[in-house]
Amino acid sequence: MKTYLEILELSSKLPKYFCPFNCITVANSYTQRPLSRMTPHPAQFLAGKCIIVAGGSFAALSFILALDQLWNPSLDRPKVIIYEKNERETCLENDPYTLNINGASRNDGLVAIQQLGVLDTVLKHTSLNGGDIRVWGNDWKWLSSMNPAKYGNLPAATIRISRKELKRILLEKAEMKQAVFKWGWACMRAERTGDGTMRVIVSNDGGKTTSFEQCDLLVAAYGANSKSRACF
């Protein structure tokens, strides 16, 4: 599901960031809705608060970078903690496949990469593609083709990059921000409390060590079948 990170907007004048990699769900004691339905809050209720992100892949990394870009420097930054069940290098090595990322419209992934400030770095590790899509019959006879135009000032309508390389680029930039990564820790479940916060149960070593963490906002970025999302 295509999701806009509207919760990160500090005013109606700021741009909306589109996360093409995953569907992110947020939860606190007052609401639990996809980010596409969230509306900006003038006072920015996240100032000085604690955010826990469950998962350390594309959706989580995009969230961290978008939050950093959209944050008003005059406000106290929230504390962001990312829990990823895999170790850092394992998280990267587990993604050997290649992605086609389109840039033919404003809602495509290549536009999001540009908005997140990593386009120039990404282009050093990609092959550009004109976006030509060809349809062949059973006898390998050419039937038709489509060649979408690139959007705006993008370098191409499509690029190809390995998931591992794209994740590495996003991760290295996210690690430069004011966020704490907890590698080897998984968010097992979460529950609302009566004081307006979330209680998150995290564990490592296959569940041998378990602890309870408190936060004001939980971002479930594990995927559609994550245990964190299943709690709500």
Side-chain angles (χ1 to χ4, degrees), residues 57-86:
S57 192
F58 294 112
L61 299 174
S62 299
F63 175 86
I64 294 168
L65 296 181
L67 176 65
D68 181 76
Q69 286 201 17
L70 292 171
W71 195 259
N72 185 336
S74 66
L75 300 175
D76 292 336
R77 284 182 173 273
K79 180 181 180 180
V80 182
I81 307 173
I82 302 93
Y83 289 92
E84 166 55 44
K85 63 182 179 179
N86 295 310

PDB file of all heavy atoms in Angstrom, residues 57-86:
ATOM      1  N   SER A  57      14.539  -2.114   8.064  1.00  0.00           N
ATOM      2  CA  SER A  57      14.721  -2.216   6.619  1.00  0.00           C
ATOM      3  C   SER A  57      14.273  -0.927   5.931  1.00  0.00           C
ATOM      4  O   SER A  57      14.340   0.155   6.506  1.00  0.00           O
ATOM      5  CB  SER A  57      13.961  -3.429   6.079  1.00  0.00           C
ATOM      6  OG  SER A  57      14.336  -3.721   4.754  1.00  0.00           O
ATOM      7  N   PHE A  58      13.811  -1.045   4.684  1.00  0.00           N
ATOM      8  CA  PHE A  58      13.558   0.134   3.855  1.00  0.00           C
ATOM      9  C   PHE A  58      12.552   1.110   4.470  1.00  0.00           C
ATOM     10  O   PHE A  58      12.789   2.316   4.487  1.00  0.00           O
ATOM     11  CB  PHE A  58      13.057  -0.306   2.473  1.00  0.00           C
ATOM     12  CG  PHE A  58      14.077  -1.047   1.681  1.00  0.00           C
ATOM     13  CD1 PHE A  58      13.914  -2.391   1.408  1.00  0.00           C
ATOM     14  CD2 PHE A  58      15.214  -0.414   1.205  1.00  0.00           C
ATOM     15  CE1 PHE A  58      14.860  -3.091   0.673  1.00  0.00           C
ATOM     16  CE2 PHE A  58      16.171  -1.091   0.465  1.00  0.00           C
ATOM     17  CZ  PHE A  58      15.991  -2.442   0.202  1.00  0.00           C
ATOM     18  N   ALA A  59      11.425   0.611   4.956  1.00  0.00           N
ATOM     19  CA  ALA A  59      10.402   1.507   5.503  1.00  0.00           C
ATOM     20  C   ALA A  59      10.927   2.257   6.711  1.00  0.00           C
ATOM     21  O   ALA A  59      10.718   3.463   6.847  1.00  0.00           O
ATOM     22  CB  ALA A  59       9.147   0.699   5.865  1.00  0.00           C
ATOM     23  N   ALA A  60      11.607   1.541   7.613  1.00  0.00           N
ATOM     24  CA  ALA A  60      12.137   2.170   8.822  1.00  0.00           C
ATOM     25  C   ALA A  60      13.189   3.215   8.488  1.00  0.00           C
ATOM     26  O   ALA A  60      13.181   4.326   9.043  1.00  0.00           O
ATOM     27  CB  ALA A  60      12.730   1.102   9.734  1.00  0.00           C
ATOM     28  N   LEU A  61      14.105   2.889   7.584  1.00  0.00           N
ATOM     29  CA  LEU A  61      15.175   3.816   7.220  1.00  0.00           C
ATOM     30  C   LEU A  61      14.616   5.053   6.531  1.00  0.00           C
ATOM     31  O   LEU A  61      15.083   6.176   6.759  1.00  0.00           O
ATOM     32  CB  LEU A  61      16.194   3.108   6.335  1.00  0.00           C
ATOM     33  CG  LEU A  61      16.892   1.896   6.973  1.00  0.00           C
ATOM     34  CD1 LEU A  61      17.771   1.180   5.955  1.00  0.00           C
ATOM     35  CD2 LEU A  61      17.712   2.317   8.191  1.00  0.00           C
ATOM     36  N   SER A  62      13.617   4.861   5.674  1.00  0.00           N
ATOM     37  CA  SER A  62      12.976   6.004   5.008  1.00  0.00           C
ATOM     38  C   SER A  62      12.290   6.899   6.026  1.00  0.00           C
ATOM     39  O   SER A  62      12.322   8.126   5.920  1.00  0.00           O
ATOM     40  CB  SER A  62      11.958   5.508   3.979  1.00  0.00           C
ATOM     41  OG  SER A  62      12.575   4.723   2.980  1.00  0.00           O
ATOM     42  N   PHE A  63      11.657   6.291   7.019  1.00  0.00           N
ATOM     43  CA  PHE A  63      11.009   7.058   8.081  1.00  0.00           C
ATOM     44  C   PHE A  63      12.015   7.929   8.816  1.00  0.00           C
ATOM     45  O   PHE A  63      11.775   9.116   9.069  1.00  0.00           O
ATOM     46  CB  PHE A  63      10.321   6.097   9.061  1.00  0.00           C
ATOM     47  CG  PHE A  63       9.730   6.776  10.263  1.00  0.00           C
ATOM     48  CD1 PHE A  63       8.447   7.306  10.220  1.00  0.00           C
ATOM     49  CD2 PHE A  63      10.453   6.887  11.447  1.00  0.00           C
ATOM     50  CE1 PHE A  63       7.901   7.934  11.329  1.00  0.00           C
ATOM     51  CE2 PHE A  63       9.911   7.515  12.556  1.00  0.00           C
ATOM     52  CZ  PHE A  63       8.633   8.039  12.502  1.00  0.00           C
ATOM     53  N   ILE A  64      13.176   7.363   9.156  1.00  0.00           N
ATOM     54  CA  ILE A  64      14.199   8.100   9.900  1.00  0.00           C
ATOM     55  C   ILE A  64      14.706   9.293   9.087  1.00  0.00           C
ATOM     56  O   ILE A  64      14.844  10.410   9.594  1.00  0.00           O
ATOM     57  CB  ILE A  64      15.369   7.171  10.259  1.00  0.00           C
ATOM     58  CG1 ILE A  64      14.900   6.093  11.237  1.00  0.00           C
ATOM     59  CG2 ILE A  64      16.526   7.965  10.869  1.00  0.00           C
ATOM     60  CD1 ILE A  64      15.892   4.975  11.422  1.00  0.00           C
ATOM     61  N   LEU A  65      14.984   9.069   7.802  1.00  0.00           N
ATOM     62  CA  LEU A  65      15.505  10.147   6.959  1.00  0.00           C
ATOM     63  C   LEU A  65      14.460  11.235   6.729  1.00  0.00           C
ATOM     64  O   LEU A  65      14.780  12.430   6.741  1.00  0.00           O
ATOM     65  CB  LEU A  65      15.988   9.573   5.627  1.00  0.00           C
ATOM     66  CG  LEU A  65      17.160   8.594   5.698  1.00  0.00           C
ATOM     67  CD1 LEU A  65      17.567   8.123   4.307  1.00  0.00           C
ATOM     68  CD2 LEU A  65      18.357   9.217   6.418  1.00  0.00           C
ATOM     69  N   ALA A  66      13.211  10.840   6.517  1.00  0.00           N
ATOM     70  CA  ALA A  66      12.149  11.825   6.305  1.00  0.00           C
ATOM     71  C   ALA A  66      11.908  12.638   7.574  1.00  0.00           C
ATOM     72  O   ALA A  66      11.720  13.858   7.523  1.00  0.00           O
ATOM     73  CB  ALA A  66      10.862  11.128   5.862  1.00  0.00           C
ATOM     74  N   LEU A  67      11.922  11.962   8.715  1.00  0.00           N
ATOM     75  CA  LEU A  67      11.745  12.662   9.985  1.00  0.00           C
ATOM     76  C   LEU A  67      12.837  13.702  10.193  1.00  0.00           C
ATOM     77  O   LEU A  67      12.577  14.838  10.587  1.00  0.00           O
ATOM     78  CB  LEU A  67      11.750  11.652  11.134  1.00  0.00           C
ATOM     79  CG  LEU A  67      11.665  12.230  12.550  1.00  0.00           C
ATOM     80  CD1 LEU A  67      10.329  12.932  12.749  1.00  0.00           C
ATOM     81  CD2 LEU A  67      11.854  11.134  13.587  1.00  0.00           C
ATOM     82  N   ASP A  68      14.072  13.332   9.881  1.00  0.00           N
ATOM     83  CA  ASP A  68      15.191  14.259  10.054  1.00  0.00           C
ATOM     84  C   ASP A  68      15.058  15.466   9.138  1.00  0.00           C
ATOM     85  O   ASP A  68      15.321  16.600   9.547  1.00  0.00           O
ATOM     86  CB  ASP A  68      16.504  13.526   9.767  1.00  0.00           C
ATOM     87  CG  ASP A  68      17.716  14.432   9.942  1.00  0.00           C
ATOM     88  OD1 ASP A  68      18.091  14.694  11.100  1.00  0.00           O
ATOM     89  OD2 ASP A  68      18.272  14.887   8.920  1.00  0.00           O
ATOM     90  N   GLN A  69      14.633  15.243   7.892  1.00  0.00           N
ATOM     91  CA  GLN A  69      14.520  16.346   6.947  1.00  0.00           C
ATOM     92  C   GLN A  69      13.368  17.288   7.290  1.00  0.00           C
ATOM     93  O   GLN A  69      13.467  18.498   7.101  1.00  0.00           O
ATOM     94  CB  GLN A  69      14.330  15.794   5.528  1.00  0.00           C
ATOM     95  CG  GLN A  69      15.591  15.216   4.926  1.00  0.00           C
ATOM     96  CD  GLN A  69      15.515  15.167   3.413  1.00  0.00           C
ATOM     97  OE1 GLN A  69      14.689  15.833   2.796  1.00  0.00           O
ATOM     98  NE2 GLN A  69      16.385  14.380   2.812  1.00  0.00           N
ATOM     99  N   LEU A  70      12.267  16.732   7.788  1.00  0.00           N
ATOM    100  CA  LEU A  70      11.081  17.539   8.026  1.00  0.00           C
ATOM    101  C   LEU A  70      11.056  18.189   9.402  1.00  0.00           C
ATOM    102  O   LEU A  70      10.224  19.058   9.656  1.00  0.00           O
ATOM    103  CB  LEU A  70       9.830  16.665   7.859  1.00  0.00           C
ATOM    104  CG  LEU A  70       9.531  16.180   6.450  1.00  0.00           C
ATOM    105  CD1 LEU A  70       8.416  15.158   6.466  1.00  0.00           C
ATOM    106  CD2 LEU A  70       9.165  17.345   5.549  1.00  0.00           C
ATOM    107  N   TRP A  71      11.951  17.770  10.279  1.00  0.00           N
ATOM    108  CA  TRP A  71      11.872  18.266  11.652  1.00  0.00           C
ATOM    109  C   TRP A  71      12.266  19.732  11.761  1.00  0.00           C
ATOM    110  O   TRP A  71      13.249  20.178  11.185  1.00  0.00           O
ATOM    111  CB  TRP A  71      12.747  17.428  12.577  1.00  0.00           C
ATOM    112  CG  TRP A  71      12.410  17.675  14.012  1.00  0.00           C
ATOM    113  CD1 TRP A  71      13.084  18.465  14.900  1.00  0.00           C
ATOM    114  CD2 TRP A  71      11.277  17.180  14.712  1.00  0.00           C
ATOM    115  NE1 TRP A  71      12.430  18.485  16.114  1.00  0.00           N
ATOM    116  CE2 TRP A  71      11.316  17.704  16.028  1.00  0.00           C
ATOM    117  CE3 TRP A  71      10.211  16.341  14.345  1.00  0.00           C
ATOM    118  CZ2 TRP A  71      10.343  17.402  16.970  1.00  0.00           C
ATOM    119  CZ3 TRP A  71       9.244  16.048  15.293  1.00  0.00           C
ATOM    120  CH2 TRP A  71       9.327  16.572  16.591  1.00  0.00           C
ATOM    121  N   ASN A  72      11.492  20.473  12.533  1.00  0.00           N
ATOM    122  CA  ASN A  72      11.771  21.883  12.792  1.00  0.00           C
ATOM    123  C   ASN A  72      12.905  21.967  13.818  1.00  0.00           C
ATOM    124  O   ASN A  72      12.748  21.516  14.957  1.00  0.00           O
ATOM    125  CB  ASN A  72      10.514  22.559  13.342  1.00  0.00           C
ATOM    126  CG  ASN A  72      10.678  24.047  13.515  1.00  0.00           C
ATOM    127  OD1 ASN A  72      11.797  24.547  13.665  1.00  0.00           O
ATOM    128  ND2 ASN A  72       9.572  24.772  13.506  1.00  0.00           N
ATOM    129  N   PRO A  73      14.058  22.532  13.452  1.00  0.00           N
ATOM    130  CA  PRO A  73      15.203  22.568  14.373  1.00  0.00           C
ATOM    131  C   PRO A  73      14.956  23.370  15.642  1.00  0.00           C
ATOM    132  O   PRO A  73      15.712  23.240  16.606  1.00  0.00           O
ATOM    133  CB  PRO A  73      16.315  23.193  13.521  1.00  0.00           C
ATOM    134  CG  PRO A  73      15.618  23.938  12.445  1.00  0.00           C
ATOM    135  CD  PRO A  73      14.373  23.153  12.156  1.00  0.00           C
ATOM    136  N   SER A  74      13.918  24.184  15.670  1.00  0.00           N
ATOM    137  CA  SER A  74      13.625  24.961  16.868  1.00  0.00           C
ATOM    138  C   SER A  74      12.911  24.117  17.931  1.00  0.00           C
ATOM    139  O   SER A  74      12.768  24.565  19.072  1.00  0.00           O
ATOM    140  CB  SER A  74      12.757  26.174  16.523  1.00  0.00           C
ATOM    141  OG  SER A  74      11.466  25.782  16.082  1.00  0.00           O
ATOM    142  N   LEU A  75      12.479  22.907  17.561  1.00  0.00           N
ATOM    143  CA  LEU A  75      11.790  22.024  18.495  1.00  0.00           C
ATOM    144  C   LEU A  75      12.736  20.958  19.011  1.00  0.00           C
ATOM    145  O   LEU A  75      13.702  20.578  18.345  1.00  0.00           O
ATOM    146  CB  LEU A  75      10.595  21.346  17.798  1.00  0.00           C
ATOM    147  CG  LEU A  75       9.507  22.258  17.242  1.00  0.00           C
ATOM    148  CD1 LEU A  75       8.482  21.438  16.479  1.00  0.00           C
ATOM    149  CD2 LEU A  75       8.839  23.054  18.351  1.00  0.00           C
ATOM    150  N   ASP A  76      12.458  20.465  20.214  1.00  0.00           N
ATOM    151  CA  ASP A  76      13.236  19.358  20.752  1.00  0.00           C
ATOM    152  C   ASP A  76      13.012  18.117  19.904  1.00  0.00           C
ATOM    153  O   ASP A  76      11.871  17.744  19.624  1.00  0.00           O
ATOM    154  CB  ASP A  76      12.825  19.060  22.202  1.00  0.00           C
ATOM    155  CG  ASP A  76      13.214  20.174  23.154  1.00  0.00           C
ATOM    156  OD1 ASP A  76      14.156  20.923  22.828  1.00  0.00           O
ATOM    157  OD2 ASP A  76      12.577  20.298  24.219  1.00  0.00           O
ATOM    158  N   ARG A  77      14.115  17.483  19.501  1.00  0.00           N
ATOM    159  CA  ARG A  77      14.001  16.288  18.675  1.00  0.00           C
ATOM    160  C   ARG A  77      13.495  15.107  19.511  1.00  0.00           C
ATOM    161  O   ARG A  77      13.849  14.965  20.674  1.00  0.00           O
ATOM    162  CB  ARG A  77      15.339  15.923  18.058  1.00  0.00           C
ATOM    163  CG  ARG A  77      15.727  16.806  16.890  1.00  0.00           C
ATOM    164  CD  ARG A  77      17.046  16.358  16.297  1.00  0.00           C
ATOM    165  NE  ARG A  77      17.341  17.093  15.086  1.00  0.00           N
ATOM    166  CZ  ARG A  77      16.928  16.740  13.872  1.00  0.00           C
ATOM    167  NH1 ARG A  77      16.224  15.643  13.733  1.00  0.00           N
ATOM    168  NH2 ARG A  77      17.237  17.463  12.825  1.00  0.00           N
ATOM    169  N   PRO A  78      12.692  14.252  18.892  1.00  0.00           N
ATOM    170  CA  PRO A  78      12.298  13.043  19.605  1.00  0.00           C
ATOM    171  C   PRO A  78      13.452  12.049  19.641  1.00  0.00           C
ATOM    172  O   PRO A  78      14.338  12.076  18.790  1.00  0.00           O
ATOM    173  CB  PRO A  78      11.142  12.493  18.749  1.00  0.00           C
ATOM    174  CG  PRO A  78      11.440  12.997  17.370  1.00  0.00           C
ATOM    175  CD  PRO A  78      12.073  14.347  17.555  1.00  0.00           C
ATOM    176  N   LYS A  79      13.453  11.192  20.637  1.00  0.00           N
ATOM    177  CA  LYS A  79      14.423  10.107  20.703  1.00  0.00           C
ATOM    178  C   LYS A  79      13.888   8.951  19.873  1.00  0.00           C
ATOM    179  O   LYS A  79      12.760   8.497  20.092  1.00  0.00           O
ATOM    180  CB  LYS A  79      14.628   9.671  22.154  1.00  0.00           C
ATOM    181  CG  LYS A  79      15.629   8.530  22.316  1.00  0.00           C
ATOM    182  CD  LYS A  79      15.768   8.128  23.776  1.00  0.00           C
ATOM    183  CE  LYS A  79      16.771   6.987  23.929  1.00  0.00           C
ATOM    184  NZ  LYS A  79      16.921   6.582  25.363  1.00  0.00           N
ATOM    185  N   VAL A  80      14.683   8.489  18.900  1.00  0.00           N
ATOM    186  CA  VAL A  80      14.251   7.421  18.004  1.00  0.00           C
ATOM    187  C   VAL A  80      15.113   6.184  18.242  1.00  0.00           C
ATOM    188  O   VAL A  80      16.344   6.254  18.175  1.00  0.00           O
ATOM    189  CB  VAL A  80      14.347   7.850  16.527  1.00  0.00           C
ATOM    190  CG1 VAL A  80      13.844   6.728  15.617  1.00  0.00           C
ATOM    191  CG2 VAL A  80      13.557   9.131  16.277  1.00  0.00           C
ATOM    192  N   ILE A  81      14.469   5.060  18.535  1.00  0.00           N
ATOM    193  CA  ILE A  81      15.169   3.796  18.763  1.00  0.00           C
ATOM    194  C   ILE A  81      14.637   2.765  17.773  1.00  0.00           C
ATOM    195  O   ILE A  81      13.426   2.562  17.674  1.00  0.00           O
ATOM    196  CB  ILE A  81      14.962   3.284  20.199  1.00  0.00           C
ATOM    197  CG1 ILE A  81      15.317   4.366  21.220  1.00  0.00           C
ATOM    198  CG2 ILE A  81      15.791   2.035  20.448  1.00  0.00           C
ATOM    199  CD1 ILE A  81      14.978   3.989  22.644  1.00  0.00           C
ATOM    200  N   ILE A  82      15.548   2.140  17.028  1.00  0.00           N
ATOM    201  CA  ILE A  82      15.179   1.149  16.026  1.00  0.00           C
ATOM    202  C   ILE A  82      15.580  -0.235  16.519  1.00  0.00           C
ATOM    203  O   ILE A  82      16.736  -0.475  16.858  1.00  0.00           O
ATOM    204  CB  ILE A  82      15.871   1.421  14.673  1.00  0.00           C
ATOM    205  CG1 ILE A  82      15.518   2.819  14.170  1.00  0.00           C
ATOM    206  CG2 ILE A  82      15.473   0.373  13.632  1.00  0.00           C
ATOM    207  CD1 ILE A  82      16.505   3.890  14.567  1.00  0.00           C
ATOM    208  N   TYR A  83      14.623  -1.143  16.566  1.00  0.00           N
ATOM    209  CA  TYR A  83      14.881  -2.529  16.952  1.00  0.00           C
ATOM    210  C   TYR A  83      14.794  -3.412  15.707  1.00  0.00           C
ATOM    211  O   TYR A  83      13.744  -3.480  15.064  1.00  0.00           O
ATOM    212  CB  TYR A  83      13.868  -3.004  17.994  1.00  0.00           C
ATOM    213  CG  TYR A  83      14.056  -2.373  19.348  1.00  0.00           C
ATOM    214  CD1 TYR A  83      13.375  -1.210  19.687  1.00  0.00           C
ATOM    215  CD2 TYR A  83      14.910  -2.939  20.284  1.00  0.00           C
ATOM    216  CE1 TYR A  83      13.547  -0.616  20.933  1.00  0.00           C
ATOM    217  CE2 TYR A  83      15.088  -2.356  21.535  1.00  0.00           C
ATOM    218  CZ  TYR A  83      14.406  -1.205  21.847  1.00  0.00           C
ATOM    219  OH  TYR A  83      14.568  -0.619  23.083  1.00  0.00           O
ATOM    220  N   GLU A  84      15.909  -4.066  15.374  1.00  0.00           N
ATOM    221  CA  GLU A  84      15.961  -4.964  14.213  1.00  0.00           C
ATOM    222  C   GLU A  84      16.418  -6.340  14.683  1.00  0.00           C
ATOM    223  O   GLU A  84      17.449  -6.467  15.347  1.00  0.00           O
ATOM    224  CB  GLU A  84      16.917  -4.414  13.158  1.00  0.00           C
ATOM    225  CG  GLU A  84      17.319  -5.391  12.066  1.00  0.00           C
ATOM    226  CD  GLU A  84      16.137  -6.008  11.333  1.00  0.00           C
ATOM    227  OE1 GLU A  84      15.189  -5.260  10.992  1.00  0.00           O
ATOM    228  OE2 GLU A  84      16.167  -7.232  11.126  1.00  0.00           O
ATOM    229  N   LYS A  85      15.642  -7.364  14.341  1.00  0.00           N
ATOM    230  CA  LYS A  85      15.908  -8.709  14.857  1.00  0.00           C
ATOM    231  C   LYS A  85      17.217  -9.308  14.342  1.00  0.00           C
ATOM    232  O   LYS A  85      17.813 -10.161  15.008  1.00  0.00           O
ATOM    233  CB  LYS A  85      14.749  -9.642  14.516  1.00  0.00           C
ATOM    234  CG  LYS A  85      14.523  -9.842  13.025  1.00  0.00           C
ATOM    235  CD  LYS A  85      13.333 -10.750  12.773  1.00  0.00           C
ATOM    236  CE  LYS A  85      13.088 -10.920  11.287  1.00  0.00           C
ATOM    237  NZ  LYS A  85      11.925 -11.824  11.041  1.00  0.00           N
ATOM    238  N   ASN A  86      17.677  -8.879  13.164  1.00  0.00           N
ATOM    239  CA  ASN A  86      18.937  -9.368  12.610  1.00  0.00           C
ATOM    240  C   ASN A  86      20.089  -8.455  13.012  1.00  0.00           C
ATOM    241  O   ASN A  86      19.886  -7.282  13.319  1.00  0.00           O
ATOM    242  CB  ASN A  86      18.862  -9.455  11.085  1.00  0.00           C
ATOM    243  CG  ASN A  86      17.856 -10.482  10.612  1.00  0.00           C
ATOM    244  OD1 ASN A  86      17.856 -11.627  11.067  1.00  0.00           O
ATOM    245  ND2 ASN A  86      16.980 -10.085   9.699  1.00  0.00           N
TER     246      ASN A  86
END
